[in-house]
Amino acid sequence: MAGKPRHALVLAAQTDARLALASVVLITKQFEDTAYEVTLPRVPWLREQSYINVQSIQPVKFTEFVRPAPGKFDAQVVGAVAAALKRWLKL
């Protein structure tokens, strides 16, 4: 059963790894104001205000990527996501 394609931030991708998986966190419009959410800046490829909840981290097979990335987030956003992941995973 095919699901609706979702935007996601790719955290890690190793095509030469044994399992050839990427780790992603989903981009969503839902916001619950937890310590594990990052508010994203307004960018042209996201129609509405969007957020990342790092608790949505999941593996994705490279064959499941259905379209190229429409853009990139700057280092500040990636840093905020990394900090939220560290809080959640207690690293």
Side-chain angles (χ1 to χ4, degrees):
M1 185 164 111
K4 175 178 88 170
R6 304 250 336 245
H7 286 295
L9 174 65
V10 178
L11 300 173
Q14 294 292 333
T15 56
D16 62 343
R18 185 176 67 84
L19 296 178
L21 296 173
S23 295
V24 304
V25 286
L26 299 179
I27 295 174
T28 182
K29 295 178 280 184
Q30 296 177 344
F31 183 70
E32 300 294 329
D33 198 22
T34 71
Y36 313 118
E37 292 170 295
V38 175
T39 301
L40 297 176
R42 295 304 304 255
V43 290
W45 65 89
L46 297 173
R47 288 184 289 222
E48 299 178 42
Q49 177 61 60
S50 300
Y51 311 89
I52 289 176
N53 185 326
V54 298
Q55 292 177 307
S56 72
I57 190 170
Q58 56 190 269
V60 175
K61 295 178 186 175
F62 286 101
T63 56
E64 293 180 49
F65 288 112
V66 296
R67 60 182 174 241
K72 295 182 179 183
F73 291 109
D74 64 25
Q76 185 176 7
V77 171
V78 175
V81 170
L85 272 169
K86 288 178 182 180
R87 279 192 299 279
W88 181 52
L89 298 173
K90 300 196 184 330
L91 296 175

PDB file of all heavy atoms in Angstrom, residues 10-24 58-65:
ATOM      1  N   VAL A  10      16.649  14.763   5.702  1.00  0.00           N
ATOM      2  CA  VAL A  10      17.553  13.610   5.720  1.00  0.00           C
ATOM      3  C   VAL A  10      18.702  13.926   6.674  1.00  0.00           C
ATOM      4  O   VAL A  10      19.428  14.900   6.483  1.00  0.00           O
ATOM      5  CB  VAL A  10      18.084  13.292   4.307  1.00  0.00           C
ATOM      6  CG1 VAL A  10      19.066  12.132   4.355  1.00  0.00           C
ATOM      7  CG2 VAL A  10      16.931  12.980   3.360  1.00  0.00           C
ATOM      8  N   LEU A  11      18.850  13.106   7.705  1.00  0.00           N
ATOM      9  CA  LEU A  11      19.895  13.317   8.705  1.00  0.00           C
ATOM     10  C   LEU A  11      21.177  12.576   8.351  1.00  0.00           C
ATOM     11  O   LEU A  11      22.265  13.048   8.628  1.00  0.00           O
ATOM     12  CB  LEU A  11      19.409  12.840  10.075  1.00  0.00           C
ATOM     13  CG  LEU A  11      18.169  13.523  10.611  1.00  0.00           C
ATOM     14  CD1 LEU A  11      17.709  12.836  11.887  1.00  0.00           C
ATOM     15  CD2 LEU A  11      18.438  14.992  10.854  1.00  0.00           C
ATOM     16  N   ALA A  12      21.039  11.397   7.803  1.00  0.00           N
ATOM     17  CA  ALA A  12      22.201  10.575   7.457  1.00  0.00           C
ATOM     18  C   ALA A  12      21.833   9.696   6.286  1.00  0.00           C
ATOM     19  O   ALA A  12      20.721   9.179   6.216  1.00  0.00           O
ATOM     20  CB  ALA A  12      22.626   9.714   8.645  1.00  0.00           C
ATOM     21  N   ALA A  13      22.771   9.540   5.378  1.00  0.00           N
ATOM     22  CA  ALA A  13      22.529   8.695   4.210  1.00  0.00           C
ATOM     23  C   ALA A  13      23.851   8.097   3.757  1.00  0.00           C
ATOM     24  O   ALA A  13      24.767   8.827   3.409  1.00  0.00           O
ATOM     25  CB  ALA A  13      21.905   9.507   3.085  1.00  0.00           C
ATOM     26  N   GLN A  14      23.944   6.791   3.830  1.00  0.00           N
ATOM     27  CA  GLN A  14      25.158   6.089   3.420  1.00  0.00           C
ATOM     28  C   GLN A  14      24.783   5.041   2.385  1.00  0.00           C
ATOM     29  O   GLN A  14      24.287   3.976   2.724  1.00  0.00           O
ATOM     30  CB  GLN A  14      25.837   5.422   4.625  1.00  0.00           C
ATOM     31  CG  GLN A  14      26.389   6.386   5.639  1.00  0.00           C
ATOM     32  CD  GLN A  14      27.568   7.172   5.104  1.00  0.00           C
ATOM     33  OE1 GLN A  14      28.285   6.736   4.225  1.00  0.00           O
ATOM     34  NE2 GLN A  14      27.740   8.365   5.626  1.00  0.00           N
ATOM     35  N   THR A  15      24.998   5.342   1.124  1.00  0.00           N
ATOM     36  CA  THR A  15      24.619   4.400   0.077  1.00  0.00           C
ATOM     37  C   THR A  15      25.508   3.166   0.080  1.00  0.00           C
ATOM     38  O   THR A  15      25.104   2.121  -0.411  1.00  0.00           O
ATOM     39  CB  THR A  15      24.684   5.054  -1.309  1.00  0.00           C
ATOM     40  OG1 THR A  15      25.994   5.569  -1.511  1.00  0.00           O
ATOM     41  CG2 THR A  15      23.662   6.164  -1.426  1.00  0.00           C
ATOM     42  N   ASP A  16      26.704   3.274   0.658  1.00  0.00           N
ATOM     43  CA  ASP A  16      27.612   2.131   0.672  1.00  0.00           C
ATOM     44  C   ASP A  16      27.502   1.304   1.954  1.00  0.00           C
ATOM     45  O   ASP A  16      28.228   0.350   2.150  1.00  0.00           O
ATOM     46  CB  ASP A  16      29.056   2.589   0.474  1.00  0.00           C
ATOM     47  CG  ASP A  16      29.533   3.508   1.598  1.00  0.00           C
ATOM     48  OD1 ASP A  16      28.680   4.050   2.337  1.00  0.00           O
ATOM     49  OD2 ASP A  16      30.746   3.692   1.718  1.00  0.00           O
ATOM     50  N   ALA A  17      26.572   1.672   2.839  1.00  0.00           N
ATOM     51  CA  ALA A  17      26.381   0.918   4.073  1.00  0.00           C
ATOM     52  C   ALA A  17      25.674  -0.407   3.773  1.00  0.00           C
ATOM     53  O   ALA A  17      25.011  -0.558   2.755  1.00  0.00           O
ATOM     54  CB  ALA A  17      25.558   1.729   5.071  1.00  0.00           C
ATOM     55  N   ARG A  18      25.802  -1.359   4.662  1.00  0.00           N
ATOM     56  CA  ARG A  18      25.234  -2.690   4.454  1.00  0.00           C
ATOM     57  C   ARG A  18      23.743  -2.644   4.155  1.00  0.00           C
ATOM     58  O   ARG A  18      23.252  -3.318   3.256  1.00  0.00           O
ATOM     59  CB  ARG A  18      25.505  -3.570   5.670  1.00  0.00           C
ATOM     60  CG  ARG A  18      25.054  -5.013   5.505  1.00  0.00           C
ATOM     61  CD  ARG A  18      25.425  -5.866   6.706  1.00  0.00           C
ATOM     62  NE  ARG A  18      24.706  -5.502   7.896  1.00  0.00           N
ATOM     63  CZ  ARG A  18      23.482  -5.925   8.210  1.00  0.00           C
ATOM     64  NH1 ARG A  18      22.819  -6.707   7.398  1.00  0.00           N
ATOM     65  NH2 ARG A  18      22.908  -5.551   9.332  1.00  0.00           N
ATOM     66  N   LEU A  19      22.990  -1.843   4.893  1.00  0.00           N
ATOM     67  CA  LEU A  19      21.537  -1.804   4.717  1.00  0.00           C
ATOM     68  C   LEU A  19      21.079  -0.723   3.747  1.00  0.00           C
ATOM     69  O   LEU A  19      19.924  -0.701   3.351  1.00  0.00           O
ATOM     70  CB  LEU A  19      20.853  -1.598   6.065  1.00  0.00           C
ATOM     71  CG  LEU A  19      21.055  -2.718   7.081  1.00  0.00           C
ATOM     72  CD1 LEU A  19      20.373  -2.362   8.396  1.00  0.00           C
ATOM     73  CD2 LEU A  19      20.540  -4.035   6.550  1.00  0.00           C
ATOM     74  N   ALA A  20      21.963   0.182   3.360  1.00  0.00           N
ATOM     75  CA  ALA A  20      21.633   1.269   2.426  1.00  0.00           C
ATOM     76  C   ALA A  20      20.347   1.983   2.830  1.00  0.00           C
ATOM     77  O   ALA A  20      19.388   2.050   2.084  1.00  0.00           O
ATOM     78  CB  ALA A  20      21.549   0.751   0.999  1.00  0.00           C
ATOM     79  N   LEU A  21      20.349   2.506   4.048  1.00  0.00           N
ATOM     80  CA  LEU A  21      19.207   3.245   4.578  1.00  0.00           C
ATOM     81  C   LEU A  21      19.592   4.692   4.833  1.00  0.00           C
ATOM     82  O   LEU A  21      20.755   4.996   5.107  1.00  0.00           O
ATOM     83  CB  LEU A  21      18.735   2.651   5.901  1.00  0.00           C
ATOM     84  CG  LEU A  21      18.179   1.237   5.882  1.00  0.00           C
ATOM     85  CD1 LEU A  21      17.925   0.762   7.304  1.00  0.00           C
ATOM     86  CD2 LEU A  21      16.908   1.172   5.067  1.00  0.00           C
ATOM     87  N   ALA A  22      18.610   5.559   4.783  1.00  0.00           N
ATOM     88  CA  ALA A  22      18.775   6.937   5.217  1.00  0.00           C
ATOM     89  C   ALA A  22      17.990   7.098   6.515  1.00  0.00           C
ATOM     90  O   ALA A  22      16.980   6.432   6.721  1.00  0.00           O
ATOM     91  CB  ALA A  22      18.250   7.891   4.156  1.00  0.00           C
ATOM     92  N   SER A  23      18.452   7.976   7.386  1.00  0.00           N
ATOM     93  CA  SER A  23      17.695   8.324   8.583  1.00  0.00           C
ATOM     94  C   SER A  23      17.065   9.682   8.335  1.00  0.00           C
ATOM     95  O   SER A  23      17.757  10.632   7.944  1.00  0.00           O
ATOM     96  CB  SER A  23      18.608   8.394   9.800  1.00  0.00           C
ATOM     97  OG  SER A  23      19.135   7.116  10.072  1.00  0.00           O
ATOM     98  N   VAL A  24      15.757   9.770   8.537  1.00  0.00           N
ATOM     99  CA  VAL A  24      15.038  11.018   8.284  1.00  0.00           C
ATOM    100  C   VAL A  24      14.158  11.374   9.478  1.00  0.00           C
ATOM    101  O   VAL A  24      13.804  10.517  10.286  1.00  0.00           O
ATOM    102  CB  VAL A  24      14.159  10.921   7.011  1.00  0.00           C
ATOM    103  CG1 VAL A  24      14.977  10.530   5.795  1.00  0.00           C
ATOM    104  CG2 VAL A  24      12.994   9.974   7.194  1.00  0.00           C
ATOM    105  N   GLN A  58      13.164   8.009  11.550  1.00  0.00           N
ATOM    106  CA  GLN A  58      12.897   6.675  11.019  1.00  0.00           C
ATOM    107  C   GLN A  58      13.842   6.354   9.865  1.00  0.00           C
ATOM    108  O   GLN A  58      14.350   7.262   9.213  1.00  0.00           O
ATOM    109  CB  GLN A  58      11.451   6.552  10.573  1.00  0.00           C
ATOM    110  CG  GLN A  58      11.012   7.571   9.559  1.00  0.00           C
ATOM    111  CD  GLN A  58       9.513   7.520   9.363  1.00  0.00           C
ATOM    112  OE1 GLN A  58       9.046   6.798   8.504  1.00  0.00           O
ATOM    113  NE2 GLN A  58       8.784   8.267  10.159  1.00  0.00           N
ATOM    114  N   PRO A  59      14.057   5.061   9.648  1.00  0.00           N
ATOM    115  CA  PRO A  59      14.874   4.654   8.505  1.00  0.00           C
ATOM    116  C   PRO A  59      14.035   4.631   7.232  1.00  0.00           C
ATOM    117  O   PRO A  59      12.840   4.331   7.265  1.00  0.00           O
ATOM    118  CB  PRO A  59      15.316   3.242   8.890  1.00  0.00           C
ATOM    119  CG  PRO A  59      14.191   2.728   9.727  1.00  0.00           C
ATOM    120  CD  PRO A  59      13.652   3.920  10.472  1.00  0.00           C
ATOM    121  N   VAL A  60      14.669   4.971   6.122  1.00  0.00           N
ATOM    122  CA  VAL A  60      14.001   4.934   4.828  1.00  0.00           C
ATOM    123  C   VAL A  60      14.950   4.301   3.825  1.00  0.00           C
ATOM    124  O   VAL A  60      16.124   4.681   3.751  1.00  0.00           O
ATOM    125  CB  VAL A  60      13.621   6.358   4.356  1.00  0.00           C
ATOM    126  CG1 VAL A  60      13.032   6.336   2.953  1.00  0.00           C
ATOM    127  CG2 VAL A  60      12.653   7.010   5.332  1.00  0.00           C
ATOM    128  N   LYS A  61      14.451   3.338   3.072  1.00  0.00           N
ATOM    129  CA  LYS A  61      15.251   2.746   2.003  1.00  0.00           C
ATOM    130  C   LYS A  61      15.404   3.770   0.884  1.00  0.00           C
ATOM    131  O   LYS A  61      14.476   4.523   0.598  1.00  0.00           O
ATOM    132  CB  LYS A  61      14.571   1.496   1.447  1.00  0.00           C
ATOM    133  CG  LYS A  61      14.457   0.374   2.430  1.00  0.00           C
ATOM    134  CD  LYS A  61      13.719  -0.785   1.795  1.00  0.00           C
ATOM    135  CE  LYS A  61      13.476  -1.870   2.811  1.00  0.00           C
ATOM    136  NZ  LYS A  61      12.663  -2.954   2.239  1.00  0.00           N
ATOM    137  N   PHE A  62      16.548   3.773   0.247  1.00  0.00           N
ATOM    138  CA  PHE A  62      16.772   4.728  -0.839  1.00  0.00           C
ATOM    139  C   PHE A  62      15.750   4.555  -1.955  1.00  0.00           C
ATOM    140  O   PHE A  62      15.401   5.517  -2.629  1.00  0.00           O
ATOM    141  CB  PHE A  62      18.195   4.610  -1.376  1.00  0.00           C
ATOM    142  CG  PHE A  62      19.206   5.207  -0.442  1.00  0.00           C
ATOM    143  CD1 PHE A  62      19.963   4.394   0.384  1.00  0.00           C
ATOM    144  CD2 PHE A  62      19.381   6.572  -0.368  1.00  0.00           C
ATOM    145  CE1 PHE A  62      20.884   4.941   1.258  1.00  0.00           C
ATOM    146  CE2 PHE A  62      20.285   7.138   0.509  1.00  0.00           C
ATOM    147  CZ  PHE A  62      21.041   6.320   1.326  1.00  0.00           C
ATOM    148  N   THR A  63      15.240   3.359  -2.136  1.00  0.00           N
ATOM    149  CA  THR A  63      14.237   3.125  -3.187  1.00  0.00           C
ATOM    150  C   THR A  63      12.907   3.804  -2.865  1.00  0.00           C
ATOM    151  O   THR A  63      12.068   3.942  -3.740  1.00  0.00           O
ATOM    152  CB  THR A  63      13.999   1.618  -3.377  1.00  0.00           C
ATOM    153  OG1 THR A  63      13.614   1.042  -2.125  1.00  0.00           O
ATOM    154  CG2 THR A  63      15.257   0.923  -3.886  1.00  0.00           C
ATOM    155  N   GLU A  64      12.711   4.234  -1.610  1.00  0.00           N
ATOM    156  CA  GLU A  64      11.465   4.891  -1.222  1.00  0.00           C
ATOM    157  C   GLU A  64      11.473   6.393  -1.488  1.00  0.00           C
ATOM    158  O   GLU A  64      10.425   7.039  -1.419  1.00  0.00           O
ATOM    159  CB  GLU A  64      11.168   4.637   0.253  1.00  0.00           C
ATOM    160  CG  GLU A  64      10.845   3.177   0.546  1.00  0.00           C
ATOM    161  CD  GLU A  64      10.545   2.938   2.016  1.00  0.00           C
ATOM    162  OE1 GLU A  64       9.734   3.704   2.585  1.00  0.00           O
ATOM    163  OE2 GLU A  64      11.123   2.005   2.577  1.00  0.00           O
ATOM    164  N   PHE A  65      12.627   6.962  -1.787  1.00  0.00           N
ATOM    165  CA  PHE A  65      12.670   8.380  -2.135  1.00  0.00           C
ATOM    166  C   PHE A  65      12.056   8.535  -3.519  1.00  0.00           C
ATOM    167  O   PHE A  65      12.519   7.942  -4.482  1.00  0.00           O
ATOM    168  CB  PHE A  65      14.106   8.918  -2.119  1.00  0.00           C
ATOM    169  CG  PHE A  65      14.669   9.060  -0.730  1.00  0.00           C
ATOM    170  CD1 PHE A  65      15.700   8.252  -0.302  1.00  0.00           C
ATOM    171  CD2 PHE A  65      14.170  10.017   0.140  1.00  0.00           C
ATOM    172  CE1 PHE A  65      16.226   8.388   0.967  1.00  0.00           C
ATOM    173  CE2 PHE A  65      14.691  10.156   1.421  1.00  0.00           C
ATOM    174  CZ  PHE A  65      15.716   9.340   1.835  1.00  0.00           C
TER     175      PHE A  65
END
